Amino acid sequence: MQKNRLAVWSKRVVIGLVVLIVLAIAAAWMYLRGSLAQLEGTVQAAGLESGASVARDEHGVPVISGGSRLDVAYATGFVHAQERYFQMDLLRRVSSGELSELFGARALPLDKSHRLHRFRARAELALAAMPPADRALLDRYVAGVNAGLEKLSAKPFEYSLIGMAPRAWAPADSLLVIWAMYFDLQGSQEPRELARGWFRDHATDEQRAFLAPESTQWDAPLDAQSITAPDIVIPAAPPAWWGKPKADGGAAHTDPKVAAAEFLNTVGSNNWAVAGARSDTGGAIVSDDMHLGIQLPAIWYRAALQFPDGKGGQRRVVGVTLPGAPVVVVGSNGHVAWGFTNSYGDYLDLIKLDTDPAKPGQVRTQAGWETPVLHEETILIKGEPAAKLAVRETSLGPIREAMGHSYAIHWVAHTAAAVNVNAKNLEFADTLEQALAIAPTMGIPAQNFVGGDDKGNIGWTIAGALPRRAPAGVAGTYPLSADDQAGVWTGWLKPEEYPKVVNPAAGQLATANSRQLANAGAELLGDGGFDLGARTHQVRDDLTALGPKTDVKKVYAITLDDRAIFMTPWRERAIAALDGKAVEGNAPRAEALKMLKDSWTGKASVDSVGYRITRAYMYALYDILFESANEEMAKIDPKSTMAAVTSRWPVVVARVLDQQPAGWLPPQYASWQALQLAALDRVIADLTKDGKPLAKATWGERNTAASAHPFAAVVPVLGKYLKVAPDMLSGDQHMPRVAGPSFGQSERLTVSPGHEEQGIFNMPGGQSGHPLSPYFLDGRGDWLSGRDSPLLPGPATHTLTFVK
């Protein structure tokens, strides 16, 4: 009897536990669903001038319409907050150094490095100086953001997981979102200058001229077919660190999967334009694909904004927005289309500050002796007492200690011209000429602006502030002393002083982060880490190959070009090194040679073993020749490397291998072939570790998508819902189709203004940042396959209306 009772109660307990677990799961599920965006219905909104609506298509892409631009700003803020608030929060916290408040002490090192720049304080100053009309637009956007957050039935799910409440949005936060892009797009300039400082101290003038050339045969400037570079003679001897093994004797990773070495010199973005004389529409065709980190949610939010144009008609602007800001970043307004690539000009100087025991507490800049202002920054840390950070700031910028010296960080990002909402003015541009005049006034990290209008005109200029400075040349790319006039800025260039290229004879323009100009105007930009030019070169040739007449689909197809033109000579070098004597009695080398010959498609294709071996061989040589220098530079800054010193290192290494100069062969190798075989042996060992057959080591196995929501690793139970499938990706760094596991084409947009119905768009994630939303990954398949999906939103399936 007692056993029967025990069995009954045991069953009841088990059933009760199961019920509790089911109820807990159901409650969690319902709570998560409560943070999904509102798609339909009517929202009462204070402060509207007339009204607005959000009509989403089957993919969640909205047409945001309103009776005024301010009403559209409100509705845009509302949908940004409901779909992407946590992403917006991270952007403002990254730039302001406030991540520790959410994530604890593990975020403190990053917060300290970013808080040094005091961007939140600078944002308040920028707001105070903002024109009333711009401030009104920003205020209405902010009101929409906070209304959207408040209207969610439950706070965004990320805050539940970390046990924090979301903080309301403020106007300063939208400016901080722009500053987050400064870190993304210009954050490499400081470690680059430090790396070049070490390089200057550990190489002669002749060695530096050879190892870090100003240009190469791959450059494809906008104003010339090529750049005529001086014939630099290879010096008699290399620097002492050249080819020197690491101090610990450890082997370098030849095919690393860690993020820091994923793409040693990959930089971001392609854009190009074809003139109306060559297009089937008679209007220009503009194409843009910005290369950034590929995460979840996608960085961009697609939208079409529609509002009165002030002339009795309607203005529709279609493209991508950045959650946190009220404007379209890249797109078309029906008359003008535009796109950006990072310009990689020299927009930051490190100024070595002099001190004098007779002047305690003072430092000397080019302007003379001054006493830095001391700011005490308080960094809130989740679960711990706040940390204090003392920031000393000079008239040039905050002070950083490095290499045993104090440096002022003189950066465009610190100035009043760094951020604004002038991008909104592009919405109303009717001609390319107007757009080119607007671009220099924009408060964004300086970008290559390529635009075209419905009349067929095309042009390039720089968008963003350019300092007026003495021509510095190569000297300006190294840390400067207080006596160097190259570091003196005397205001800002006027829009009419900016370099421009308009309607070139070839009827085409292209930029891809390499040097833009061979002639006049180049000195206004400087070299802040230009790409070596292989992408630009390939895009230019692709555009030329389109012939006298083309269309949007053919222009778009260039974004998918994964031909390995730059890597082909490296394959030939590897094959030459693996001669009969090298492979005799060496089965692994013989297999590598077979793969180089038989599994080479001429592309960075997922099934190619030959491409993977070729690429890894080039990087293995980088490791061998530069590993000692990289080890020393890493002591100064983790991001300081020879790849930061110069992206043109592959061209330099190729010239050394091809010419085999006496004195440059590292002494531990008997011949240049032995050096190359050592690199190939490293590659083979790496690709066949754990007994894996070399024939299985395809480029796709290496180049596999690894994009994930920031919480994927933090909350394993949700991890599978917060990651993309491990899709194999074709494409690589030195070709138009840039693709890496977590870096690549963050969007692809091609459009002829006035013919947006022909426009093409795709991006690597969906509209929503919520894993339960049908729009979380919607559209990713089109991005993976490169399908030419429509730019314009389709018919509305959900409509949300805002009323007064």
Side-chain angles (χ1 to χ4, degrees), residues 61 91-92 271 285 345 541 575 579 634-635 671 705 708 790:
V61 182
L91 287 173
R92 68 176 171 179
N271 65 3
I285 301 175
D541 292 351
I575 290 173
D579 62 12
K635 297 174 184 176
S671 65

Side-chain angles (χ1 to χ4, degrees), residues 343-354:
S343 63
Y344 284 92
D346 186 10
Y347 310 122
L348 179 148
D349 291 328
L350 288 181
I351 311 295
K352 182 181 174 183
L353 301 171
D354 289 340

Side-chain angles (χ1 to χ4, degrees), residues 293-575:
I294 306 297
Q295 65 271 325
L296 294 179
I299 189 168
W300 307 114
Y301 185 85
R302 295 181 62 183
L305 310 184
Q306 195 163 285
F307 44 85
D309 63 4
K311 303 174 185 177
Q314 289 284 309
R315 180 61 53 113
R316 181 184 63 190
V317 189
V318 60
V320 296
T321 64
L322 178 63
V327 299
V328 170
V329 176
V330 163
S332 177
N333 69 15
H335 297 282
V336 177
W338 65 93
F340 296 121
T341 69
N342 200 16
S343 63
Y344 284 92
D346 186 10
Y347 310 122
L348 179 148
D349 291 328
L350 288 181
I351 311 295
K352 182 181 174 183
L353 301 171
D354 289 340
T355 58
D356 186 339
K359 300 179 186 293
Q362 291 188 293
V363 296
R364 186 172 74 91
T365 71
Q366 296 100 329
W369 291 94
E370 61 179 88
T371 301
V373 177
L374 180 63
H375 301 278
E376 185 177 75
E377 294 287 312
T378 300
I379 304 176
L380 301 179
I381 306 173
K382 181 184 178 184
E384 296 185 24
K388 301 292 185 180
L389 177 69
V391 177
R392 291 190 302 149
E393 189 154 14
T394 71
S395 59
L396 299 179
I399 296 175
R400 172 179 177 168
E401 305 296 330
M403 298 188 289
H405 302 291
S406 295
Y407 293 91
I409 305 172
H410 198 196
W411 188 14
V412 168
H414 295 147
T415 67
V419 294
N420 58 42
V421 292
N422 284 355
K424 74 181 189 312
N425 296 330
L426 288 172
E427 299 171 355
F428 294 95
D430 290 327
T431 67
L432 173 70
E433 183 180 13
Q434 292 173 0
L436 292 176
I438 292 166
T441 72
M442 294 169 63
I444 60 174
Q447 299 289 291
N448 290 309
F449 176 96
V450 167
D453 64 22
D454 54 358
K455 307 292 191 304
N457 300 298
I458 60 173
W460 163 89
T461 191
I462 294 293
L466 293 179
R468 188 184 304 279
R469 60 196 302 182
V474 176
T477 66
Y478 296 101
L480 300 167
S481 76
D483 294 316
D484 284 321
Q485 291 303 302
V488 177
W489 300 359
T490 56
W492 303 95
L493 294 180
K494 298 176 182 178
E496 60 268 23
E497 296 176 289
Y498 275 52
K500 297 181 181 69
V501 177
V502 180
N503 290 332
Q508 62 185 53
L509 289 167
T511 77
N513 314 117
S514 57
R515 182 171 167 178
Q516 305 95 334
L517 300 170
N519 302 303
E523 73 283 355
L524 299 175
L525 307 181
D527 183 350
F530 289 143
D531 195 16
L532 61 79
R535 275 186 297 122
T536 318
H537 200 282
Q538 193 162 334
V539 169
R540 182 192 65 188
D541 292 351
D542 283 348
L543 288 168
T544 302
L546 292 177
K549 282 291 181 182
T550 189
D551 57 35
V552 165
K553 287 190 175 184
K554 292 174 183 175
V555 173
Y556 164 76
I558 295 174
T559 65
L560 307 177
D561 181 6
D562 59 357
R563 290 176 301 137
I565 293 173
F566 180 78
M567 294 304 301
T568 296
W570 285 97
R571 169 182 176 258
E572 295 166 357
R573 292 184 188 98
I575 290 173

Side-chain angles (χ1 to χ4, degrees), residues 686-712:
D686 185 76
L687 299 186
T688 58
K689 59 191 174 191
D690 303 324
K692 181 176 63 179
L694 186 61
K696 298 290 186 182
T698 63
W699 176 238
E701 186 212 34
R702 163 71 169 77
N703 207 39
T704 301
S707 306
H709 187 283
F711 277 34

